[in-house]
């Protein structure tokens, strides 16, 4: 079964915990890079290690969240081989996999309910990258 790297700040902590429980029950292996409580913290401290785990192949993909999703997504996308997609609807998550081969799904924890988050995560998990013209576009993302 695949391994998922998780990261959040305090705003995403409870959703992260719930998703880890949900996905562990589904049989996924998870690595939790923190944070470990609702005490105020800085999302880059957790985003960078999770991004590195995905880049290094320690995890197959990642799921990350902060309050809006923006800060953690911005941080993750500083990594050359990370394509982190902020998704607040299942359709966006499916397209992030199908068209962008997103390797980290990002959720805006303060703007989605737990049930909505599950739908988004499942849409991402159930979708497949389409390759072809989308691979060509992905190959042009990196700043050389
Ligand atoms: C924390 O209050 C909040 O700023 C953070 O979770 C996130 O939304 C930043 O982008």
């Amino acid at each position: 079964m695949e391994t998922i790297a998780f990261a959040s700040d305090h705003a995403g902590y409870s959703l992260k915990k719930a998703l880890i429980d949900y996905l562990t029950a589904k049989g996924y292996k998870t690595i939790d890079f923190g944070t470990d409580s609702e005490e105020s913290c800085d999302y880059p401290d957790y985003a960078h290690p999770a991004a590195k785990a995905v880049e290094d192949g320690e995890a197959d993909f990642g799921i990350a969240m902060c309050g809006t999703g923006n800060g953690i997504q911005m941080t993750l996308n500083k990594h050359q081989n990370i394509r982190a997609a902020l998704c607040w609807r299942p359709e966006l998550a499916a397209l992030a996999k199908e068209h962008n081969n997103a390797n980290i799904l990002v959720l805006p924890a303060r703007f989605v309910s737990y049930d909505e988050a599950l739908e988004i995560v499942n849409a991402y998990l159930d979708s497949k990258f389409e390759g072809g013209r989308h691979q060509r576009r992905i190959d042009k993302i990196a700043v050389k």
Side-chain angles (χ1 to χ4, degrees), residues 7-13 34-35 37 41-43 46 65-67 72:
S8 78
D9 69 354
H10 53 288
Y13 169 71
T35 187
S37 77
C41 65
D42 304 332
Y43 49 79
Y46 311 99
M65 56 231 87
C66 64
I72 204 158

Side-chain angles (χ1 to χ4, degrees), residues 77-105:
N77 278 321
K78 289 290 176 192
H79 291 252
Q80 192 70 274
N81 295 310
I82 294 299
R83 291 175 303 282
L86 175 56
C87 300
W88 57 95
R89 282 174 40 178
E91 295 88 342
L92 292 171
L95 286 165
K97 176 73 80 57
E98 290 165 5
H99 289 188
N100 312 113
N101 202 15
N103 53 9
I104 302 189
L105 171 68

Side-chain angles (χ1 to χ4, degrees), residues 39-144:
E39 194 179 323
S40 183
C41 65
D42 304 332
Y43 49 79
D45 296 340
Y46 311 99
H48 286 303
K52 196 170 177 313
V54 174
E55 283 189 308
D56 292 351
E58 188 190 346
D60 295 290
F61 62 94
I63 299 179
M65 56 231 87
C66 64
T68 60
N70 275 320
I72 204 158
Q73 185 209 26
M74 288 175 189
T75 310
L76 294 163
N77 278 321
K78 289 290 176 192
H79 291 252
Q80 192 70 274
N81 295 310
I82 294 299
R83 291 175 303 282
L86 175 56
C87 300
W88 57 95
R89 282 174 40 178
E91 295 88 342
L92 292 171
L95 286 165
K97 176 73 80 57
E98 290 165 5
H99 289 188
N100 312 113
N101 202 15
N103 53 9
I104 302 189
L105 171 68
V106 181
L107 297 163
R110 286 183 172 147
F111 295 86
V112 290
S113 66
Y114 174 64
D115 288 345
E116 286 170 333
L118 286 191
E119 281 186 48
I120 295 164
V121 166
N122 283 319
Y124 174 80
L125 295 176
D126 293 344
S127 303
K128 283 202 165 23
F129 179 48
E130 291 175 4
R133 68 188 188 283
H134 300 298
Q135 183 62 56
R136 187 181 69 236
R137 291 163 187 165
I138 285 171
D139 291 341
K140 293 181 179 179
I141 291 176
V143 178
K144 310 263 182 205

